[in-house]
Amino acid sequence: MGLSVLADLADLNLDSGAFVLLFITVCAFMVPVAVVLPPVPVRKSDALLQTHTRAGLARSKSALANQYAAEHAPRAGRPPTVQSLLIYPVKSCRAIEVTRSRVLPQGLEFDRLFTFAQLKSPFPVSVDSADEARSQHRWEFVTQRQFPRLATVKVDLWLPDEMKLRKQSMKLTREAFLILRFPWKEAGWRGLLSVVMAKLGGGAAAEPEKEILLPVDFPSAAEIQDKGYKFEDVKIWKEVVTALNMSTELPRELMLYLGVSNKLGLFRIDPTRLREVYRCAPLKDDVGYQPVTGFQDAYPLHMITLNSLQQFSEEVPKDEDLKEIDVRRFRANVILSGVPAYDEETWKKARFKPGKSGLHNDAVFHISCRTVRCKMPNVDPFTGARHPREPDHSLRTLRAVDKGVPLNGCLGMQLTPLFEVDDNPTSGPIAGSGLLGDDEPDDGRSAWMGVGMTVEVEERGEHLYIKQ
């Protein structure tokens, strides 16, 4: 058939000018069609857009765009305020900035639900090794400290939208999803095609990405079996927690992109097996419940103030690779404005009041201890580039202020939520995620936080960090 078509075209005796005209005509027709209906594959996020809304602020609308402005300085008669709230659904991946969030015993809602881990052993194991030797393999969590490209893995939180669901004549649902996105281009012509498709769908600055869809709610027993998930132990710092290994959801390309040589795992915290927090946290006898965390490093929330950041940054040497110390390098949940530099290190208990947040409740926190810093702030939170020296060196030389860890730098404070506990709860723990869709989870221990809340310091005192 192809040969006959060519023969027919030959019979037309078309000259080169006619072929050019024919080509221009076809392009004039196809280009508008490609602009209106670009030939790009449907993404998971495109499907969710019909029934869900993506949570959080775009980077262009971030409340942290002016983090070095003079307006964050303390003023007489003006209390400190909440400038920004950040959640990290997947540990060490990109943050989501929100204007308000629910506070649960384990921290902000949706924070550190997942962590990546790699399968490690203290020594090489041969194929014919005994079972005892093989059992030495264990899962250990990983962060930007080992794999700085985790900073470039974007995380989108998609929440059900009642109006969209009604428009689609669909049943209302509380099911939320995460989409992880990381840059990925295949080799050869497939990679070139993916670049073209990405720019057609997202504009000139867009790059090809691979997506991973994850449920927010903790899977049911049937879903766990159907998906091939497994409960396994994973080590986070010196603790070992049993969590749900959902590694079957991970494409091989993610391991290659991050540069992980060992087997890569993805663990979801089990809401019935949260990690209890002791050390500097309050005790159950004092606050009515034992504080817990998910995959946070040690305590439920992390707070930092912009004036402390500004003063510290002034003393950090800058170069072409480090022109500014962005507060997002320190991965805090709560960022405050209007606090005198390092004054937060004297706080022991603080009450967050509604202020201009639009909320109607207070949120109360035990200020448990200073945040002891590691080398992770050396990683740029947007590019994943790791500076060889700063700010880690300056933290250790300028901010070794806690006698409990005299060789480590500190910046920021660790928080534990305080609640009035219902001694006679009307309902037991929620069986799903323990996070989403229940107005009074776990006998009423919840509150709300929002940007614009004001802070009242109720107790002050000294801090002494207790090591794990």
Side-chain angles (χ1 to χ4, degrees):
M1 179 178 178
L3 293 176
S4 63
V5 171
L6 291 175
D8 292 339
L9 288 174
D11 293 339
L12 294 176
N13 295 319
L14 296 176
D15 59 17
S16 59
F19 276 111
V20 171
L21 181 62
L22 177 62
F23 177 76
I24 293 175
T25 303
V26 172
C27 289
F29 174 76
M30 293 300 298
V31 169
V33 173
V35 171
V36 177
L37 298 171
V40 296
V42 177
R43 300 171 300 175
K44 298 177 177 67
S45 51
D46 294 330
L48 282 176
L49 191 60
Q50 306 305 311
T51 54
H52 289 63
T53 295
R54 187 167 63 182
L57 299 173
R59 187 178 175 184
S60 60
K61 297 182 178 179
S62 171
L64 298 172
N66 67 343
Q67 59 185 274
Y68 277 93
E71 66 189 66
H72 299 302
R75 297 180 185 176
R78 188 185 74 174
T81 59
V82 176
Q83 178 70 18
S84 178
L85 295 173
L86 296 163
I87 57 174
Y88 309 83
V90 183
K91 190 176 182 68
S92 257
C93 293
R94 189 72 61 85
I96 299 174
E97 185 175 355
V98 296
T99 56
R100 61 177 56 179
S101 175
R102 191 162 56 161
V103 183
L104 301 169
Q106 61 267 43
L108 296 186
E109 188 173 28
F110 308 116
D111 190 49
R112 272 88 170 189
L113 298 178
F114 293 86
T115 186
F116 287 108
Q118 61 177 334
L119 193 61
K120 297 184 69 176
S121 64
F123 49 82
V125 179
S126 63
V127 176
D128 57 351
S129 297
D131 291 341
E132 183 178 354
R134 290 176 177 274
S135 67
Q136 297 296 318
H137 281 76
R138 64 185 180 188
W139 290 101
E140 292 186 9
F141 84 117
V142 297
T143 69
Q144 293 175 24
R145 285 178 292 274
Q146 303 103 315
F147 305 106
R149 277 191 171 184
L150 280 168
T152 65
V153 177
K154 300 172 185 176
V155 180
D156 299 327
L157 171 63
W158 291 85
L159 300 176
D161 188 313
E162 183 176 343
M163 295 298 293
K164 290 183 178 180
L165 288 165
R166 291 186 185 279
K167 187 177 179 179
Q168 298 284 343
S169 300
M170 297 178 66
K171 183 180 178 181
L172 298 184
T173 178
R174 290 174 173 173
E175 192 173 18
F177 296 92
L178 294 178
I179 289 185
L180 279 58
R181 297 181 287 124
F182 63 95
W184 184 258
K185 185 180 75 170
E186 299 286 350
W189 66 269
R190 289 187 178 88
L192 180 60
L193 181 61
S194 67
V195 171
V196 173
M197 294 300 185
K199 294 187 182 302
L200 283 174
E207 59 182 347
E209 296 178 321
K210 204 164 185 68
E211 292 186 337
I212 305 170
L213 178 67
L214 300 172
V216 168
D217 279 347
F218 195 78
S220 66
E223 290 170 330
I224 291 172
Q225 183 175 5
D226 181 60
K227 293 281 191 177
Y229 304 155
K230 295 187 294 184
F231 285 98
E232 295 191 78
D233 289 344
V234 59
K235 186 178 181 182
I236 175 168
W237 297 114
K238 294 183 180 180
E239 292 183 69
V240 176
V241 59
T242 301
L244 188 64
N245 188 344
M246 299 172 61
S247 303
T248 54
E249 302 292 349
L250 299 182
R252 181 174 179 271
E253 291 86 348
L254 180 61
M255 183 181 73
L256 298 174
Y257 174 72
L258 296 177
V260 181
S261 57
N262 294 346
K263 187 175 181 180
L264 182 66
L266 176 69
F267 284 80
R268 182 14 169 125
I269 193 70
D270 184 341
T272 67
R273 300 178 183 180
L274 297 172
R275 301 154 55 210
E276 291 190 340
V277 181
Y278 294 93
R279 295 194 286 162
C280 301
L283 297 176
K284 182 177 181 179
D285 291 343
D286 298 323
V287 297
Y289 80 103
Q290 190 57 46
V292 292
T293 65
F295 282 131
Q296 291 85 348
D297 277 349
Y299 294 84
L301 289 93
H302 176 212
M303 179 187 76
I304 198 167
T305 70
L306 290 178
N307 273 288
S308 296
L309 171 77
Q310 290 176 4
Q311 181 162 319
F312 170 69
S313 180
E314 289 177 0
E315 302 179 83
V316 178
K318 307 298 193 304
D319 57 30
E320 285 299 314
D321 297 323
L322 186 68
K323 297 180 179 180
E324 182 181 79
I325 304 292
D326 193 296
V327 69
R328 284 162 285 207
R329 285 178 177 263
F330 299 94
R331 301 183 68 79
N333 297 113
V334 183
I335 300 175
L336 300 184
S337 172
V339 182
Y342 307 126
D343 183 66
E344 68 275 11
E345 295 185 354
T346 69
W347 299 1
K348 297 292 286 186
K349 183 179 179 182
R351 180 177 296 273
F352 289 64
K353 295 186 172 183
K356 297 181 179 179
S357 68
L359 299 173
H360 303 285
N361 66 272
D362 292 356
V364 184
F365 296 91
H366 177 269
I367 315 302
S368 301
C369 63
R370 295 182 177 90
T371 302
V372 179
R373 312 303 331 191
C374 63
K375 292 186 177 182
M376 188 186 286
N378 285 23
V379 178
D380 186 290
F382 298 106
T383 67
R386 178 162 50 197
H387 195 277
R389 183 177 176 87
E390 297 293 352
D392 172 64
H393 179 263
S394 295
L395 283 165
R396 288 185 286 109
T397 55
L398 303 173
R399 294 293 304 152
V401 296
D402 196 306
K403 294 180 180 179
V405 278
L407 301 180
N408 296 89
C410 299
L411 188 65
M413 304 299 291
Q414 298 290 312
L415 275 56
T416 303
L418 300 177
F419 305 102
E420 293 182 1
V421 178
D422 186 355
D423 293 329
N424 297 295
T426 56
S427 62
I430 303 301
S433 68
L435 297 172
L436 182 68
D438 44 292
D439 293 330
E440 295 190 4
D442 303 329
D443 62 19
R445 291 197 298 263
S446 69
W448 281 89
M449 288 190 72
V451 170
M453 290 186 101
T454 59
V455 184
E456 179 182 293
V457 181
E458 295 189 339
E459 295 180 15
R460 291 180 181 266
E462 295 184 359
H463 287 280
L464 181 67
Y465 188 83
I466 300 173
K467 294 182 179 181
Q468 191 173 31

